[in-house]
Amino acid sequence: MWDDAFPSFLIGLREGLEAGLIVSILVATLVRAEARSRLPQVWTGVLAAIAVAMSFGAVLTFTAASMPQTAQEAFGGVLSVIAVAFVTAMVFWMRRSARNLSSELKQKVSGALAMGSGMLILTSFLAVGREGLETALFLWTTAQAAGESAGPLTGAAIGLLLAAGLCWGLYRRVLKINLTKFFTATGVVLIVIAAGVLGYGLRDLQEGGVLPGKTAYAVDLAGSIDAGSWYSTLIQGVFNLMPTMTWLQVVAYVAYLAVVMTLFVRGVRVTAPKAKPETAAQRSAGASGEGSAAPKPAARRRPVWVVPAAVVAVPAIVAGLFVALGRPKPAGDQTVAVSETDCGKGFTAPEPGRQTFQMHNTGRQASEVYLVDPSTNAVYGEIEGLAPGTTRDLVATIAGGTYAWRCVPASGKAVTSKAVTVTGGGAAKPVAPVSEQDLAAPLKSYKSYVGKGLDTLAGQTRALQHDIEGGHLDRARTDWLTAHRTYASLGAAYGTFEDFDKKIDGRADGLPGGERDKDFSGFLRLEYGLWHGRSAKELTGPARQLSTDVAGLGKAFPSQDFDPGDLPLRAHEILENTLQFELTGDTDEGSGTNLATADANLAGTRELLTVLKPLLTDRAPKVLPTVDTDIDRVQKLLDAQHDGGHWTPVEKLSDADRRRLDGATGQLLEDLAPIPDLLEIRKSA
């Protein structure tokens, strides 16, 4: 978690120290002016600044959470750029103002004492409020970049606590710190961090469609750098440098760093004092007490808690009103009833924006529920298997258009509600429905591919059988791998191979006798024998049985039931099994060729995506280019692990190579995950 916490720790330490120095100077000035009775006014201003900062953070969090995904990215990108501007200004301001901060604040305090308690509260509020707002904005930005809030909040808390301790030590003259050097060193580090935040923010703006160049990559090291390693995680968390960066990110990062760092370093040299200056805290805490004490105002009969309570309550109330008024009216305030006879009862035209609908099944059957555009059958949201008598939330983004509910009971015809029309609200991205007819052509193409593959496999297993019968075990090992790779490339069809798959490629797991069990057969049985010194005589029976089973599958496959809905599922499941079994070495029976099998699985996935391409291109044109890039990364990593016919066994992979391969495959699986939902067959009538 430290990689995500460090930037927030540094901003908490620096901003906390800045605010703490200001507070200590204000307190020291009042103490020296013998105006201790006015100290509560300083703390009231500080409390108000903290309340405003926390309320600001709450508003940012709610505002982002209530937006659609692309709008969240654009919003986060804009605030990241603003945070960079604030941090940059803060770094330069503190470099310029640190030596004169004490005298300036003393003058303000003297003026505030003469003008009354309200002015002193305002002085301390303005002095601390800037740091509070900067901290809230930067924390929110770093939490967005990290994808979680625990690390950034923990880092900021540690930084603020450390800053408070340092300020107390400076005030009490327990510590001596060269603040000029401190703010210079932390300024340099913050400029580097801000450059990464700028790059992250611009990437968010690209993801949100505000800026172009989303796929124009200047750096793409994902195939050679393990994104999950400790050093990669540290660099990404601290500096927001990613293995894959666009040209816009790289140019902005380099330009910001070159320009801002040059100006900062040059400014430090120009303004550097010849003699060691007295620190701001030392001047404030050790001031000689010049100036006369301001006359003490007459005490006012008012509870001491009223003003502090007010300065905390007002920002909190304002933030609460903002959240309450800004929250889209949930259509779920009125439960929408669904059943096999009456779908969408209680449904009225919702407001544009992100909405939550409470769907209650009043019927007697479980039902699929879809929010659709009745003119095109496009799906905006869905609930699968809504059981009788149950209520579940359905969240959807509503834009201008026509909407209706479609209820599809477990048995019976689909029922569609009366349509309503929504005006305004921008655009939403529904999922175009897929029918069995839409998948008919891809299914036909893929069945043809599998059929040809089975014909090839039949010839390869016969050759393997002849090798073993002739006692040519070295040749048999080579032919075994060729045949097994062919079978592995047909992975999308294994769900339809029925009992043949267990016979042809079943594992020994769960069998009473393990590898020696009489029911252990197929490729893995032969692999165990060929790589564990079994004789040709012992392997002849299993080889003949494998050849027979493959031939039987080739004859049975054309008439087997191949559910078209399995095609989109297999796009993800093939490589899910690869990650679970092949890349862990669980299925290795001695040959050390799990990576060869993984390579064949990847080829099968590529073929499957080829037949699904027309449907995916129409519905999600950005999915395939991303997946193709992922596949190329995995392919490059696999290619690096074999030389001719020799493949590196999984257990002999270096830790770095194994992490890279697992990470690249995991990323590919993540990008493949939307395909089953995009191409799910949904009833429309």
Side-chain angles (χ1 to χ4, degrees), residues 144-467:
Q144 290 292 109
E148 53 95 19
S149 58
L153 288 177
T154 301
I158 295 173
L160 290 170
L161 288 173
L162 180 57
L166 291 174
C167 287
W168 180 87
L170 289 170
Y171 177 77
R172 303 292 296 180
R173 297 186 180 184
V174 176
L175 297 175
K176 292 183 179 180
I177 297 175
N178 188 320
L179 294 175
T180 300
K181 290 184 178 180
F182 172 82
F183 286 120
T184 299
T186 55
V188 169
V189 179
L190 277 177
I191 289 172
V192 176
I193 292 175
V197 173
L198 177 62
Y200 170 81
L202 293 177
R203 179 59 176 172
D204 265 358
L205 290 174
Q206 289 179 312
E207 295 284 352
V210 177
L211 294 177
K214 177 181 176 181
T215 58
Y217 295 114
V219 178
D220 188 359
L221 303 177
S224 55
I225 293 179
D226 178 19
S229 63
W230 68 267
Y231 56 85
S232 179
T233 303
L234 182 65
I235 292 173
Q236 292 179 58
V238 174
F239 301 112
N240 277 302
L241 289 175
M242 305 299 173
T244 303
M245 296 181 70
T246 65
W247 278 106
L248 179 61
Q249 287 179 279
V250 172
V251 171
Y253 183 91
V254 173
Y256 174 88
L257 204 56
V259 173
V260 176
M261 190 68 76
T262 300
L263 293 174
F264 183 79
V265 173
R266 184 178 300 169
V268 169
R269 290 174 179 171
V270 170
T271 59
K274 293 182 180 180
K276 183 178 179 181
E278 189 180 18
T279 66
Q282 288 169 334
R283 289 196 300 273
S284 64
S288 60
E290 66 266 12
S292 58
K296 297 182 180 180
R300 301 178 64 181
R301 298 291 182 178
R302 180 173 56 192
V304 294
W305 55 267
V306 172
V307 175
V311 298
V312 172
V314 169
I317 291 172
V318 171
L321 289 174
F322 183 91
V323 170
L325 296 176
R327 185 183 300 276
K329 294 180 181 179
D333 281 353
Q334 292 182 333
T335 300
V336 179
V338 300
S339 70
E340 56 269 28
T341 58
D342 189 6
C343 185
K345 185 177 180 181
F347 178 50
T348 57
E351 295 290 332
R354 190 174 177 85
Q355 301 288 352
T356 300
F357 301 90
Q358 292 180 350
M359 311 306 299
H360 179 61
N361 189 344
T362 60
R364 297 182 179 179
Q365 298 185 41
S367 181
E368 312 289 312
V369 182
Y370 305 106
L371 180 63
V372 302
D373 180 342
S375 61
T376 63
N377 291 323
V379 178
Y380 289 89
E382 63 183 294
I383 293 178
E384 296 183 355
L386 182 62
T390 61
T391 301
R392 286 164 58 187
D393 287 347
L394 185 151
V395 180
T397 299
I398 303 299
T402 306
Y403 298 85
W405 291 103
R406 177 163 294 139
C407 305
V408 185
S411 61
K413 295 183 177 181
V415 181
T416 303
S417 73
K418 181 180 178 181
V420 300
T421 301
V422 177
T423 57
K429 293 183 179 180
V431 176
V434 174
S435 65
E436 290 192 17
Q437 185 177 359
D438 293 327
L439 286 168
L443 179 60
K444 182 178 179 181
S445 297
Y446 195 76
K447 289 185 72 172
S448 175
Y449 162 78
V450 173
K452 293 177 182 178
L454 288 174
D455 289 341
T456 301
L457 181 65
Q460 292 170 343
T461 52
R462 286 197 297 270
L464 173 61
Q465 176 188 339
H466 294 155
D467 292 339

Side-chain angles (χ1 to χ4, degrees), residues 26 84 97 380 401 433 621 670:
L26 293 174
V84 170
S97 305
Y380 289 89
E670 183 177 334

Side-chain angles (χ1 to χ4, degrees), residues 528-604:
Y528 179 81
L530 287 169
W531 274 271
H532 284 83
R534 299 298 184 264
S535 66
K537 182 178 180 181
E538 291 178 274
L539 297 177
T540 296
R544 289 174 179 173
Q545 185 62 49
L546 174 62
S547 184
T548 299
D549 290 335
V550 168
L553 174 59
K555 292 179 181 178
F557 178 71
S559 60
Q560 286 179 331
D561 182 26
F562 199 140
D563 186 349
D566 282 349
L567 280 181
L569 291 173
R570 296 293 182 260
H572 184 271
E573 288 181 349
I574 298 174
L575 291 178
E576 192 174 44
N577 286 345
T578 302
L579 185 63
Q580 181 180 0
F581 299 115
E582 306 304 337
L583 298 187
T584 58
D586 282 355
T587 57
D588 182 22
E589 292 291 351
S591 69
T593 59
N594 280 116
L595 295 185
T597 305
D599 182 71
N601 291 156
L602 192 66

Side-chain angles (χ1 to χ4, degrees), residues 75-156:
F75 181 71
V78 169
L79 289 182
S80 294
V81 174
I82 294 174
V84 170
F86 278 172
V87 170
T88 306
M90 174 265 291
V91 167
F92 281 90
W93 175 79
M94 200 59 191
R95 186 206 69 196
R96 190 170 56 248
S97 305
R99 285 182 297 278
N100 301 319
L101 189 61
S102 179
S103 60
E104 291 178 2
L105 285 172
K106 286 178 182 178
Q107 293 175 3
K108 291 182 179 180
V109 170
S110 298
L113 284 171
M115 296 178 67
S117 61
M119 186 55 65
L120 189 55
I121 291 174
L122 181 62
T123 299
S124 59
F125 170 77
L126 293 177
V128 179
R130 170 190 170 120
E131 279 69 27
L133 292 176
E134 286 176 353
T135 303
L137 180 57
F138 197 86
L139 272 180
W140 186 88
T141 303
T142 52
Q144 290 292 109
E148 53 95 19
S149 58
L153 288 177
T154 301

